Amino acid sequence: MQRKHIDFRELLERLLPLEELPPADRSAVERALKSGVSGQLQQAALYAVRQLEQLGALKRLPSNGGPPALRYQRREGLDVITIQLPGEARHDGIVVFPRATLPLQAQASLDRVRRLLRLEDDSLLAEPRTQRSRLGLIPQLDRIGSEFLGASEVRLVPAESGEEAAPAPALSLEPALGREAAANPDALLYCPDVLRAPALAKGAGARGVKAAVFAGLPRADGTTHGHLEILSRVEDPFRPDDLAMAALLADYCGAALERAARLEKLVFIDPLTSVYNRSYFDLEVQNEMARAEREKSSMALCIVDIDDFKRFNTTYGYEAGNQVLAHVAQALKRAVRPFDTVARWGGEEFALLLTSPIHAEDVMAISERLRLLVERQSVRLEGLDRRTHRVGVTVSIGVAVFPEHAGEQAGLWRAANQALLAAKRPPKNRVVFYQPAGEAQAPKG
């Protein structure tokens, strides 16, 4: 049996021809080889190896007790490939452990394994709508993670951009370290003593934290959902076996969020416009009305209708009409607050939920901002004549406020629809609030 030590460039060159390597990973390997940057070569190689290991194309062998190295064997071959790894990197009290150097097999009690397997429990995803799906999972993942590792505290900190960002995101112990961990999910950052780490000494020490682990939450495409922070009130509590368990926990948390995201997209996302669908919105209205009632505050329902929508279909074709729908949907989504909801209600209508607490003047300002944003943008369409056209789009918006205009869901919808009918009377392109005492009117001023 031949044993050969290879570097990361040589490893990538040997992995590239493998048929089992997925196309996306093959592209990443090609980019890394083209760049020639040692860090990118290492990261791409370790990621590709992990993928091939999961697919069964490579089998990882136990360490032979020598310097840090990875040992693999092809599924159809006897050659053993040994990849020399850099030792632990230390800087400013932080130890960087490549995941590949952690023990392949770590001892765990049956009770700990059962806690980890709870992440696979369908009950966690049985109601994917609850608290916005992935964000609703975070407290559960935090609790199960603490139980699994026996740590003082485990925090799942979501990515800071896009839909992953919570209205009140979990605070990171040290955002810079969190970003570093998220940028390199193939490594763990371990601070055994926060007093020796300038980045952590002040904040963590004041809160009684004495040690911390930062681990990225990998996605299937190699990016991350955010990072995991494992905190302890004991100095240097984690051994290599514990860090291997921390890496396993990060993988499980990333997989749980990935499943929730796919389920949310399948069940609650309108495929044409990429905003929520009617099923999601119905549930959201119920929950937000109940919350506003508990808090004795207000929320608003806005129904947005694209003016003269049929003309886009008849003049430029149905595909052009779809482009208008998608454009308006994304414009509305960008203009509302992060914790508000935009959904396609049906046809050319969208429904917006402005969550509590919100006052009438704020509802008016947001609704008018939405109308103006759509009006000021032009949409680029490809017509049936295969020529590119730029067209203007306007919307009419009907608004009803809970509990001022109605105290239950059906009544709120009726009020918003009555307001919309008034808004769509010529000249259209306006915002109208429901008026309980008479006909709906456009707000003055």
Side-chain angles (χ1 to χ4, degrees):
M1 184 184 302
Q2 182 181 3
R3 292 174 172 79
K4 183 176 181 181
H5 293 70
I6 61 178
D7 60 21
F8 290 111
R9 173 176 286 280
E10 185 180 352
L11 174 61
L12 288 174
E13 291 171 346
R14 294 186 62 172
L15 295 178
L16 194 57
L18 295 184
E19 296 179 356
E20 299 92 341
L21 195 65
D25 298 331
R26 191 181 306 279
S27 297
V29 168
E30 291 172 344
R31 288 195 299 272
L33 284 170
K34 186 176 181 179
S35 74
V37 178
S38 59
Q40 293 185 24
L41 290 171
Q42 176 180 337
Q43 187 171 349
L46 293 178
Y47 178 75
V49 164
R50 286 179 62 192
Q51 293 295 93
L52 289 168
E53 182 182 358
Q54 291 178 5
L55 294 170
L58 293 177
K59 177 184 177 182
R60 186 173 169 186
L61 303 177
S63 172
N64 57 8
L70 289 177
R71 301 172 66 243
Y72 285 97
Q73 190 173 32
R74 285 289 308 276
R75 181 175 55 191
E76 299 174 355
L78 298 177
D79 287 354
V80 174
I81 301 173
T82 301
I83 310 164
Q84 297 290 356
L85 292 172
E88 302 166 9
R90 294 175 179 265
H91 57 86
D92 294 332
I94 307 295
V95 187
V96 181
F97 284 92
R99 287 197 189 193
T101 66
L102 297 173
L104 183 61
Q105 295 179 328
Q107 295 298 318
S109 67
L110 181 59
D111 188 49
R112 290 178 73 186
V113 172
R114 282 174 176 160
R115 288 190 172 97
L116 184 63
L117 291 177
R118 284 173 58 192
L119 292 179
E120 300 287 348
D121 189 344
D122 289 341
S123 66
L124 287 178
L125 300 177
E127 180 53 81
R129 178 25 225 98
T130 304
Q131 297 182 43
R132 299 185 184 273
S133 183
R134 286 158 283 171
L135 298 176
L137 282 175
I138 291 175
Q140 301 177 69
L141 298 178
D142 289 347
R143 186 186 68 255
I144 293 173
S146 296
E147 294 172 354
F148 172 67
L149 290 175
S152 303
E153 186 179 353
V154 172
R155 293 176 173 184
L156 195 159
V157 183
E160 296 177 352
S161 61
E163 293 182 15
E164 303 270 341
L171 295 177
S172 173
L173 188 68
E174 173 44 54
L177 289 176
R179 287 190 293 270
E180 184 178 345
N184 184 14
D186 288 314
L188 265 67
L189 309 182
Y190 178 36
C191 176
D193 182 359
V194 299
L195 296 180
R196 297 178 179 274
L200 292 170
K202 185 176 180 180
R207 295 175 42 198
V209 175
K210 294 187 176 180
V213 177
F214 297 80
L217 303 174
R219 297 177 187 259
D221 61 2
T223 61
T224 57
H225 290 280
H227 69 278
L228 204 63
E229 295 183 2
I230 302 159
L231 313 178
S232 176
R233 291 181 173 81
V234 178
E235 185 180 319
D236 195 13
F238 301 120
R239 306 277 73 80
D241 277 9
D242 300 314
L243 295 175
M245 290 295 180
L248 181 61
L249 176 63
D251 288 342
Y252 264 69
C253 288
L257 291 172
E258 193 84 13
R259 288 196 306 275
R262 290 200 303 268
L263 186 59
E264 180 185 84
K265 186 173 183 179
L266 177 67
V267 178
F268 290 126
I269 300 297
D270 175 60
L272 176 61
T273 61
S274 297
V275 296
Y276 288 113
N277 59 20
R278 185 168 179 168
S279 297
Y280 179 96
F281 199 81
D282 280 339
L283 291 169
E284 186 77 343
V285 171
Q286 293 174 16
N287 290 336
E288 288 301 325
M289 288 182 72
R291 184 166 71 88
E293 189 170 13
R294 286 194 307 272
E295 298 174 354
K296 300 188 183 306
S297 60
S298 298
M299 53 157 279
L301 170 66
C302 308
I303 303 179
V304 181
D305 188 277
I306 300 176
D307 295 329
D308 304 315
F309 178 73
K310 290 182 180 178
R311 70 183 174 91
F312 297 110
N313 288 334
T314 55
T315 304
Y316 304 106
Y318 287 102
E319 183 56 39
N322 289 341
Q323 293 174 41
V324 171
L325 286 170
H327 172 84
V328 171
Q330 293 307 308
L332 296 174
K333 188 175 177 181
R334 288 193 301 270
V336 297
R337 301 170 301 173
F339 38 87
D340 294 329
T341 302
V342 177
R344 185 183 178 195
W345 184 247
E348 65 270 24
E349 285 188 350
F350 296 89
L352 276 64
L353 194 61
L354 306 182
T355 58
S356 69
I358 191 167
H359 302 291
E361 56 269 25
D362 298 322
V363 175
M364 183 184 301
I366 293 172
S367 302
E368 186 62 22
R369 184 176 73 222
L370 294 171
R371 186 195 67 78
L372 284 171
L373 179 66
V374 174
E375 180 185 33
R376 290 170 178 172
Q377 295 181 350
S378 63
V379 186
R380 186 173 179 271
L381 304 177
E382 183 177 345
L384 294 174
D385 56 4
R386 297 187 178 181
R387 296 173 60 186
T388 298
H389 305 267
R390 285 199 171 273
V391 299
V393 182
T394 62
V395 294
S396 299
I397 304 175
V399 183
V401 178
F402 170 88
E404 180 183 346
H405 297 153
E408 40 81 31
Q409 185 172 347
L412 194 66
W413 278 107
R414 283 194 297 271
N417 268 296
Q418 287 182 38
L420 178 64
L421 290 175
K424 288 190 70 63
R425 292 173 187 157
K428 305 182 180 182
N429 186 26
R430 58 182 181 150
V431 177
V432 171
F433 277 62
Y434 175 71
Q435 297 293 322
E439 183 178 337
Q441 300 175 5
K444 296 178 180 180

